[in-house]
Amino acid sequence: MTLAAYTMRALPAQLSGLMAIALDLQWSWHHGCDQLWRQLDEEIWEATHNAWLVLNSASAERLQQLAEDPEFLTRYQQQLNRHEAFNQCPTWYSENCGNQLAGGVAWFCMEYGVSESLPLYSGGLGVLAGDFLKASSDLGVPVTAVGLLYQQGYFRQALNAEGEQLEFHPYNDPTMLPVNPLRDSNGEWARVNVPFPGRTVRLRAWKGQVGRCELLLLDSNDPRNEPGDRGITSELYSGDPEKRLQQEMVLGIGGWRLLAQLGRKPALCHINEGHSALALVERAVHWQQQNETSFEVARLATRATNLFTTHTSVAAGFDRFPAKLARLYLEPWLQEIGQPLETILTVANGGSSDLNMSGLALGMSGRFNGVSQIHKQVTQSIFQPWFGRWPAADVPAEYVTNGVHTPSWDSPEADELWTSACGQDRWRQPMTDLCPLKETTDHDLWQMRRNQRHRLVYYLRARLQSQHCEHNYGNSEEAACGLLLDTESLTLGFARRFTDYKRPDLLLTDPERLIRLLSNRDRPLQIVLAGKAHPHDNEGKDIIKRWKQFTRLPEVEGRVVFIEDYDMAVASELIQGVDVWLNCPRHPWEACGTSGMKVLVNGGLNLSQYDGWWAEAWQPELGWAIRPGATFEELSQTDKHDEADAEELYQLLENQVVPEFYLRNEQGLPANWLARIRASMNELTARYSANRMVREYVTDFYLPMVAQGAERTAAGADELVSVKETIARHWPRLRFGTMDAREEGQKLRFDLDVYLDGLSPELVAVELVAESSSFGPRLVQSMAFNGPLQEAEQTYRYYCTVPPRPLEHFTPRIRIHEPRLNLPLEDAHILWLR
Ligand SMILES: *Cc1c(COP(=O)(O)O)cnc(C)c1O
């Protein structure tokens, strides 16, 4: 494989600037250049929406023709200027953050969904990663993302006549993907090595440009690697744990080595899910070697600027490897870095035998967060085992609710409406004071909705055609080809992974009832479905089959359609056109969910389980929530939960959604429906944008973390490690003395003696805790230091007054007090009286 194979063909000199524009994935959300690509090669552009491929496919003759076409040249020059201006203009970050993130943010994720022409994702996690990068680019936040270039990526789906899922793995030819070999400062193709058992795995590096941000991708398909190793980066989520560990080594170890080799010195490392935890270890090791310290000092020094975002909702979802597998694969690397596996296992989970990657990420990070308010609580409880006797409520998980990159998901119609209401560049600014759609009339709003729905119906028909309309299998060809879909009917969309907890079959709980909704002559409902089931998920596949069979019932045929091969392109059509987006996951399994956010900008409405983001966004006037009042205890009984949720889903559709959509005023407008759209667009679009999300990460996490990191010099970290050692030495001998409680006016006063074994009182905090009960919410009252006891060595008295509750409700505890540490994450010592 020569470099020449990846060198761009010669372009006519007048058009040389096309290269940079074609390699900047901005074309996937900014449509200024669409016309240029269309003129270069309309067929390829329409089929792939991959500008790089268009540029590489256009004939020399065509290029020469256009190089002499004044109209084309003008348009090209305009776009070239725009591109340059974009790269140079001040940004939210440059104007507000004083370059405090010099060196940039290293951002790791197992998958990236930037565009369907770069298919390196399977679902929500990857699409979020793509949206994060695009919003970082808009805001000018210096993020460098690191990921894997999969030769096959996630499988592609079709259904056979019986509704069974077929899985295809077409090959991603890197020369056709909108990425380029990554060159180092000598112009050489950047490569890194990762030690594997008995061999070295060589990795090639690629670069994708996402506006102002870079996406660096590694792949192992180097001809010098052993055949098996060349396939490490073939599929995403193949289900084989050995391959998974290999991929995580390539991503984490290889990824950090690549940054180091390029001379990057990131100010902060943010890992999106635990898959890339090894990057944090590799980072600590590099720091250790540069500063000649122990691993422990290096870990404490670097972790202050490591952020770990978790998207997991159940402990079973943690990424885990048996110790034997971990030992086999990690041993050569561990030898190189001079650590036994036990060091890694201790950091990850206090030495237990499996290697838990989320545990490792936690043990290497300074802060960690979930992705919605509810998910923060879920995270507190599933990570509680890492915090010894700390109650879940004190587990220091934080949250940043996910958001979507608005300019990537808005429809042309919505773009026009928002532009006339709020101006051109609204999505690139901090969307805090986004103008409400005050001047927009109901007429305009409704026209936008209708046009979007029309476009969707035509898209669905074309898609169904390309799915071959299932000749001979449906009851009628008309139905199978989507000709019975109606451009004016209420259209409900449901598209996501077909997996148990998402309950894609909730609507099928009572098929008769659904049939009544679909076949209502005056107020019909139509449904568009899409989604893949993981190749190993037979239950998910069965649900697809059941839906497929349902769509063929004579009463409903043609009114429920299943679109194959759900991906970003399909998602984008559906979320633009549907009136209502349905999401009905089993609570509390949806960490956040983002697909429902994509309809907001387009005036779609949400009908969703009260879970994830919708639990914090929902207000009665904005959309519909399934069982907002249900208690957690009720919800944890799965069977009843499903039944009651289905009942409420049907009721909402029958009594609220359908009637409101069809209730028209004297002008024929659904005034109540439009009021809801207006409220949802105004209230939620900006709040659930990736723009808001990225700004939250920067101001609430990155900037304060980098400030704390600056204190963690070799000397500073070394001192903190000794503090931790001192604490650990004394802790086993700490004990409580006398506790006295008495009424004092309307309050209770507690006096408590504690023996500190010579530990300085400065290093501890004493607190009185009462769990929530009918007497009030949870209370954590810090007790004031009242000096040493004269006659008892190393013993100090603490006191506090609290509102009254039965005495046995109060328990005192001793914890560490050290403002330079993030507690209890960086030291979980705690002692309870009982
Ligand atoms: C947005 C998106 C998702 C995320 O969907 P949720 O069901 O909300 O988690 C998954 N897949 C694709 C293709 C998407 O565009």
Side-chain angles (χ1 to χ4, degrees), residues 121 123-124 127 409 495-496 502 566-568 571 590 593-595 598:
Y121 66 96
V127 176
W409 299 106
R496 54 187 42 82
K502 298 262 193 189
Y566 181 47
D567 67 359
M568 290 177 72
E590 187 82 304
T594 50
S595 56
K598 298 169 191 163

Side-chain angles (χ1 to χ4, degrees), residues 501-783:
Y501 88 86
K502 298 262 193 189
R503 296 190 299 187
D505 55 350
L506 196 68
L507 260 179
L508 285 178
T509 310
D510 183 348
E512 291 305 318
R513 218 162 154 183
L514 182 58
I515 290 173
R516 279 200 295 278
L517 281 163
L518 292 162
S519 57
N520 185 318
R521 196 194 53 193
D522 302 321
R523 302 188 307 192
L525 176 71
Q526 55 191 4
I527 300 181
V528 46
L529 298 158
K532 299 174 177 176
H534 188 277
H536 297 173
D537 181 358
N538 290 325
E539 233 173 299
K541 292 184 188 177
D542 281 343
I543 302 178
I544 294 181
K545 211 164 146 184
R546 278 176 56 208
W547 264 117
K548 199 68 199 174
Q549 281 157 3
F550 181 84
T551 63
R552 300 217 181 95
L553 296 177
E555 305 93 302
V556 302
E557 61 161 347
R559 310 207 47 84
V560 183
V561 296
F562 193 103
I563 299 301
E564 295 166 8
D565 202 26
Y566 181 47
D567 67 359
M568 290 177 72
V570 174
S572 125
E573 299 288 343
L574 301 195
I575 55 98
Q576 294 177 26
V578 298
D579 297 291
V580 176
W581 188 254
L582 172 67
N583 189 17
C584 46
R586 189 173 290 133
H587 181 89
W589 282 54
E590 187 82 304
C592 178
T594 50
S595 56
M597 299 174 185
K598 298 169 191 163
V599 305
L600 299 171
V601 65
N602 300 312
L605 296 173
N606 279 277
L607 162 56
S608 277
Q609 192 71 32
Y610 188 77
D611 198 11
W613 76 281
W614 193 233
E616 51 194 90
W618 174 74
Q619 294 289 333
E621 69 276 15
L622 302 175
W624 300 274
I626 303 170
R627 292 218 297 159
T631 64
F632 194 78
E633 290 67 41
E634 231 182 293
L635 293 172
S636 51
Q637 298 170 308
T638 309
D639 299 352
K640 288 188 194 153
H641 180 182
D642 290 355
E643 231 170 79
D645 286 355
E647 175 59 31
E648 183 149 322
L649 172 57
Y650 288 123
Q651 285 191 13
L652 284 169
L653 285 168
E654 291 159 352
N655 304 333
Q656 300 190 29
V657 180
V658 174
E660 194 174 289
F661 181 85
Y662 287 106
L663 178 68
R664 303 296 159 96
N665 65 11
E666 60 279 11
Q667 291 150 339
L669 292 171
N672 296 350
W673 189 270
L674 288 168
R676 212 182 270 277
I677 289 179
R678 194 184 290 276
S680 162
M681 289 174 88
N682 280 337
E683 302 287 320
L684 303 179
T685 308
R687 236 165 86 203
Y688 295 97
S689 67
N691 184 300
R692 185 271 311 150
M693 166 179 73
V694 169
R695 280 184 290 114
E696 243 172 76
Y697 275 111
V698 172
T699 46
D700 299 350
F701 291 82
Y702 297 173
L703 298 181
M705 289 176 78
V706 165
Q708 187 188 37
E711 308 289 316
R712 302 258 177 118
T713 56
D718 190 60
E719 194 192 323
L720 283 175
V721 168
S722 351
V723 170
K724 280 166 61 75
E725 282 166 2
T726 308
I727 291 168
R729 206 163 53 243
H730 289 287
W731 204 264
R733 288 187 295 279
L734 261 55
R735 61 178 184 264
F736 292 94
T738 308
M739 181 160 84
D740 177 58
R742 61 175 186 281
E743 284 177 28
E744 203 178 80
Q746 297 294 315
K747 300 232 165 182
L748 277 178
R749 178 183 166 116
F750 284 83
D751 286 272
L752 172 69
D753 299 340
V754 297
Y755 169 77
L756 294 183
D757 191 49
L759 203 59
S760 158
E762 310 250 298
L763 279 177
V764 302
V766 180
E767 292 168 341
L768 193 64
V769 180
E771 292 307 327
S772 107
S773 69
S774 53
F775 294 91
R778 183 167 197 261
L779 174 112
V780 180
Q781 175 67 53
S782 76
M783 301 186 76

Side-chain angles (χ1 to χ4, degrees), residues 109 135 175 241 259 293 313 339 378 449 482 529 623 712 737 754 793:
C109 190
T175 56
L259 293 173
T293 64
S313 286
Q339 292 296 331
V378 173
R449 289 296 323 151
L529 298 158
R712 302 258 177 118
V754 297
E793 218 174 314

Side-chain angles (χ1 to χ4, degrees), residues 256 266-269 278-287 302 305-306:
W256 192 268
L268 184 127
C269 184
L278 291 170
L280 307 183
V281 180
E282 184 70 17
R283 180 184 187 198
V285 169
H286 283 234
W287 194 94
T302 50
T305 47
N306 288 335

